[in-house]
Amino acid sequence: MSSKPKLESLKKITRRSSIGLLAASIPSGIWAGAIEPDQLSTTHREITLPRWPRALDGFKIAQVTDLHYRPGADDKLLAKVIAALKEESPDLIALTGDFIIQDQSSLPELFRELKVLSAPHGIIASPGNHDRWHCSQSLLRKTIEKSGVSYLANAGTTLSIKGENIFIAGIDSIWGGTPDPSKTWSGHQRDQPVIALVHEPDAFDHLRPSHRIDLQLSGHTHGGQCRVPLIGYAPAKVKYGKNYIYGHYEKEQSQLWVGRGIGTVGLRVRFACSPELAILTLRSA
Ligand SMILES: [Fe+2]
């Protein structure tokens, strides 16, 4: 056989493979750009904390993170988040930062929408890197508190529930702000369980040895935003979000939850990594 027919058949195979890949990538692209970014999913997880009071067994926290609100484009998605939160009726709502991308005018628009939310033990927010890169602390505080949400940046608050006191620590963004763990934990009384709102998950390893953390709630990574289906590999890594990408982690007596978040940065695309509202039910060991 001459080499010419071999070359022709190789060309045909290559052409067919390219067409096949293109045909497969068009629906994937449409899905990632036009469908999945609006496909809100609610994750329900039970997390057993070894030092959580028995009286507060079943305490339900809703975590909303990385809204990165784009007025107009994200309105339907935000409406879904609000409807889902109302339906879940959590005890506490935690907003763990990155409310905006870069336009600070979207901050008041977002918190005007969130004003309809309530929870028996409040809504507490702490900042993310994008918030701190593009908004001053005073703007964040003023806008967020105006909507009835508590703002914690290097501060803590004690919630008294069913005769138990729990401490909520909200630290400034590790990447975009000036985090001060000593100030954040300064009001913490010995033996109080601590829920820490820390936008960047990788801070877990630095904070945990010196400050009590029963459960740290983080976002920042968007779960990778686009993941490889089935194996779940997330190729895009972000500073301070390289070690803990998504889900539940445990180290000694401290645990970490990293949510996939709601919004997007860069292109408004998500793939195999849909927007997530996390409902975490805390169990006493
Ligand atoms: Fe972030």
Side-chain angles (χ1 to χ4, degrees):
M1 244 168 100
S2 76
S3 63
K4 209 176 170 192
K6 263 188 189 172
L7 188 68
E8 279 307 310
S9 60
L10 189 66
K11 274 183 184 170
K12 270 184 197 165
I13 291 166
T14 311
R15 211 177 298 131
R16 275 181 204 148
S17 308
S18 307
I19 292 166
L21 273 173
L22 187 68
S25 66
I26 289 171
S28 304
I30 292 170
W31 175 267
I35 299 171
E36 189 163 330
D38 291 301
Q39 298 277 305
L40 180 72
S41 58
T42 303
T43 299
H44 293 93
R45 282 287 175 98
E46 296 211 343
I47 295 182
T48 302
L49 301 174
R51 298 174 291 181
W52 191 248
R54 191 177 291 265
L56 302 185
D57 184 77
F59 191 77
K60 204 158 89 166
I61 302 178
Q63 185 217 22
V64 177
T65 193
D66 297 78
L67 280 152
H68 289 295
Y69 179 54
R70 305 175 198 233
D74 285 341
D75 290 352
K76 279 187 189 158
L77 177 62
L78 184 61
K80 286 183 190 175
V81 173
I82 291 170
L85 279 166
K86 285 181 176 173
E87 200 177 307
E88 293 289 342
S89 53
D91 296 301
L92 177 73
I93 300 174
L95 309 176
T96 46
D98 275 2
F99 313 115
I100 62 163
I101 300 176
Q102 58 180 31
D103 177 9
Q104 59 171 246
S105 71
S106 51
L107 188 75
E109 290 191 48
L110 170 65
F111 279 88
R112 213 174 297 131
E113 296 295 324
L114 297 179
K115 223 173 173 177
V116 297
L117 292 174
S118 65
H121 300 289
I123 308 173
I124 299 178
S126 60
N129 50 305
H130 283 257
D131 310 315
R132 294 290 278 115
W133 284 336
H134 304 291
C135 303
S136 67
Q137 280 289 31
S138 60
L139 177 74
L140 282 161
R141 183 175 303 286
K142 204 174 105 190
T143 310
I144 291 171
E145 290 183 346
K146 202 174 157 190
S147 72
V149 174
S150 303
Y151 180 64
L152 297 181
N154 291 336
T157 187
T158 301
L159 302 179
S160 298
I161 310 162
K162 295 183 183 171
E164 300 285 348
N165 290 327
I166 59 169
F167 189 75
I168 312 292
I171 198 162
D172 197 6
S173 165
I174 309 299
W175 192 2
T178 47
D180 187 339
S182 305
K183 201 174 159 197
T184 308
W185 267 260
S186 62
H188 176 242
Q189 302 294 309
R190 215 172 156 242
D191 298 333
Q192 286 178 345
V194 176
I195 308 291
L197 314 188
V198 184
H199 178 72
E200 292 89 345
D202 288 0
F204 187 57
D205 291 331
H206 306 288
L207 294 171
R208 187 177 64 76
S210 49
H211 297 83
R212 176 165 172 172
I213 295 178
D214 290 81
L215 177 65
Q216 174 178 319
L217 301 177
S218 297
H220 186 54
T221 61
H222 304 184
Q225 202 167 302
C226 292
R227 295 168 77 102
V228 179
L230 304 175
I231 63 167
Y233 175 68
K237 301 277 190 297
V238 63
K239 196 173 174 183
Y240 300 114
K242 292 185 192 323
N243 300 329
Y244 305 102
I245 310 293
Y246 170 66
H248 181 213
Y249 304 88
E250 193 168 355
K251 280 196 174 170
E252 294 163 355
Q253 291 200 299
S254 301
Q255 300 189 36
L256 166 66
W257 171 262
V258 187
R260 290 198 301 267
I262 305 292
T264 49
V265 285
L267 291 176
R268 194 177 184 276
V269 293
R270 276 186 178 265
F271 192 72
C273 191
S274 59
E276 177 187 60
L277 166 66
I279 304 294
L280 308 172
T281 302
L282 306 189
R283 296 288 177 202
S284 108

